[in-house]
Structure formats: C-alpha cells, structure tokens
Amino acid sequence: MKFKKLKTLIFIPLVIIHVSPNLYGYEPYQHQLISNSSINLYNKCQKTLESVGTISSDESEQIINANSGEDTSISKAPYRIFNWHFYNSSKESGQEYFPINRSMTGLLHSIENTLKASYEFDPVATGSGLHFIEDVTVPAHVMPVFHGPLAPLIMGGAVGRYDFGLIHDEIDKWEIDVEELESFTDTLSESINNCERLFRAEINIISVSGKTTEIEYDINESPLLYFVDHTSKQTEISYKKLIPGCDISWEWFWNFDYGHDYFNGYRSEWDESMPVSFGDERQISDDCTMTNNNYNSFVFQRHLQAIVSGAAFIAHLKSKGSL
C-alpha cells in the first residue's frame, strides 16, 4: 500500500514536468513575437534620439530565446511546478500554498538577483524578465484566474476546485496583429517626446485613462518587480473600463467569485445564467452585444502594452549596464 501511494506521488510531479513547457501566459511563439517587437521599438527609439546602445542581433536572439524558455526549457520545469505565473499586488499576502507559490514573485526575485550580479547588460536575464512583464498584460494572470494544461484536480487546494477538465485562457492564444502593432510602434518611435518618456520608464504613454498608479518598488533597487507591478496595474485599469457601448466592464469575464482566497473564476465556467467566454459574439446584457471588433481592440491594447513595457524595461537595463 505504501509503495502504491509512493508511485502515485511520483507520478503526479512527472506528469507536471512533462506538460509544464506550456504552463501559463501567452503561447511561447507569441512571447517571441512580443519580445522581438519590444526590441525593435527600443532600437527605433535609440535612432530617433540619436543615441548609442542598440540591441545587437546576437543579444536579440538571446533575449527572445530566454523569454520563451521560461515556458519551454526543461531545466526550468521543476521551478514552474511550484512557482506559478500569476501576480496581483493586493493578493500577494495570500500567494503561498505550501509547497506552491501561486504568484510569480519567487521567480522574479531570482531573476532580480541575477540582474544585480551582472556587471553589464545581461540579455538572458533580460529575456526572462520580459516574459513575466508580458504575462501580466493578460487579465487572467492579474485577476487572477487559474488556467493551464493541468486539471485543477491535480492542484487540489491550491486552486480550490477539483475538476478533471483543462482550463484555457482565450487571450493567451489570441492572434497577434504583428503588422498593425508594428505600424503603431513605428509611429510611436518617430516622436522624440514619446521615446524620451519611454526611456524614463513611463510605460503608460499609450494610456488614455489619465489615471496614475502607485508603484510599490524602487525602479533602481528592483527594476523587474517595478515593471511587473506597474504593468499589472495598467492591466487592472484596462479591465475595469466599460466595454464600449455597454454598461459592463471587461473584468466581468474573469471576476466570478467562487469563494477562493486567491483565484477568481471565468464567467463561462461558473455563471449558469450567462456562460459567456471571451470571444463569444453575442448579447450579454440588454444594452450590450459583444462583437469581434470589441475583442480585437481590447487584446490589441494588451499586446501593445506588453511591447511598450518591455521596451521600457530594456531601456532601463541598458542605461544602467549593471545594477
């Protein structure tokens, strides 16, 4: 009996390691597209400002590979098992569920230590950091809402539910409009004012909310935590906005309270009266009918925020050389 239990305990971690390359966040190829766009925006702004210190092709390759490697590297699989890719600054006190850290903060501190130990710009650590900055542009990573290639049953109390089925997030796999984003960032980078603001870590240069956010970290002491915290709060601002033409905010898709201390639920899974998934073109209230244009516009802004925040992060690290 003891041997049978031991085999079960060994089997579950092995299953997690086997499937963990795709755990959480954008798909790996999307992380590559976004980080490449951040690098391009940074380099274009360097030219606009007539500065030196662009990202070389070799550095670019290292950054992009390290970024996607946070989801695909076999060597990092053990860390992914116990350190998940969610972040909400107001819920950090409830992140731990032994031996699991439901927040990405443990991983962030590790990358932060690597950055501090570097005497010059470190493209690998930069790429790893970009991964998590990009993750927090996805509302389900900030609310947060549990999702991934593993059934909640395997996670047990850490998730607060025991379903057999897998849970996927639509924004994680939403198509990236590369051409439109490139056109937008080209225009952005032609402005000296925009580039100067970007290089001062003003990641809200694309926001029209007029809202400011209080950041809990010092950019010089903890640059990665600063950018993750700042970007996650931009995401919060975005999903608290009303859907255009509607009396419902975007967070409606992810804020179903099923009584858990850390995670919210997807409306599509929990609300029997209105089981609507993000991306469904249908009426969700008397005054609100969702269209594909609504969804594409919202996700475009999330992708754009990921690119801008990433470029600002790169600019800060390049300006410091080492921390």
Side-chain angles (χ1 to χ4, degrees), residues 61-290:
E61 183 177 358
Q62 292 182 67
I63 290 170
I64 292 170
N65 288 339
N67 185 331
S68 60
E70 289 297 322
D71 280 341
T72 61
S73 171
I74 297 299
S75 65
K76 293 191 176 185
Y79 298 99
R80 291 196 293 272
I81 296 171
F82 301 108
N83 295 273
W84 298 354
H85 294 193
F86 302 101
Y87 179 88
N88 183 301
S89 60
S90 64
K91 294 184 177 182
E92 287 301 282
S93 60
Q95 63 180 290
E96 294 184 2
Y97 188 90
F98 185 81
I100 295 169
N101 187 336
R102 294 178 289 199
S103 167
M104 62 176 67
T105 49
L107 294 167
L108 300 182
H109 283 298
S110 177
I111 298 170
E112 206 88 80
N113 289 336
T114 300
L115 290 170
K116 290 179 180 178
S118 301
Y119 292 97
E120 56 187 18
F121 179 72
D122 185 336
V124 173
T126 300
S128 292
L130 282 176
H131 181 97
F132 297 100
I133 293 170
E134 293 163 9
D135 272 357
V136 294
T137 62
V138 178
H141 286 264
V142 178
M143 292 291 297
V145 185
F146 178 79
H147 58 282
L150 294 174
L153 176 66
I154 296 176
M155 302 304 180
V159 181
R161 50 189 297 189
Y162 302 89
D163 311 54
F164 284 99
L166 305 183
I167 306 171
H168 302 288
D169 186 81
E170 294 302 321
I171 293 182
D172 277 349
K173 59 184 180 181
W174 202 272
E175 183 179 356
I176 296 176
D177 191 339
V178 177
E179 290 187 6
E180 185 64 24
L181 284 167
E182 184 176 350
S183 175
F184 196 98
T185 54
D186 279 346
T187 301
L188 191 70
S189 66
E190 290 170 359
S191 165
I192 292 177
N193 180 57
N194 282 339
C195 288
E196 287 178 340
R197 292 180 62 196
L198 187 73
F199 282 25
R200 292 197 301 266
E202 294 184 34
I203 67 167
N204 59 337
I205 60 175
I206 61 170
S207 173
V208 295
S209 67
K211 295 182 180 179
T212 58
T213 55
E214 183 178 342
I215 312 304
E216 299 179 20
Y217 299 95
D218 182 275
I219 190 172
N220 294 310
E221 290 295 322
S222 305
L224 179 54
L225 284 159
Y226 174 92
F227 279 98
V228 165
D229 191 61
H230 198 351
T231 302
S232 73
K233 287 172 179 174
Q234 292 298 309
T235 300
E236 288 185 46
I237 291 172
S238 75
Y239 63 60
K240 289 182 181 297
K241 290 180 181 179
L242 292 177
I243 299 168
C246 300
D247 57 356
I248 297 174
S249 63
W250 286 104
E251 65 183 327
W252 180 85
F253 287 97
W254 308 284
N255 71 350
F256 194 95
D257 183 0
Y258 65 92
H260 193 253
D261 63 338
Y262 190 71
F263 291 111
N264 293 303
Y266 288 103
R267 181 74 49 179
S268 58
E269 293 190 306
W270 292 91
D271 191 345
E272 295 180 359
S273 66
M274 189 64 69
V276 182
S277 296
F278 187 93
D280 288 350
E281 294 186 79
R282 56 168 291 181
Q283 187 173 357
I284 61 175
S285 73
D286 291 339
D287 302 315
C288 185
T289 299
M290 296 303 298

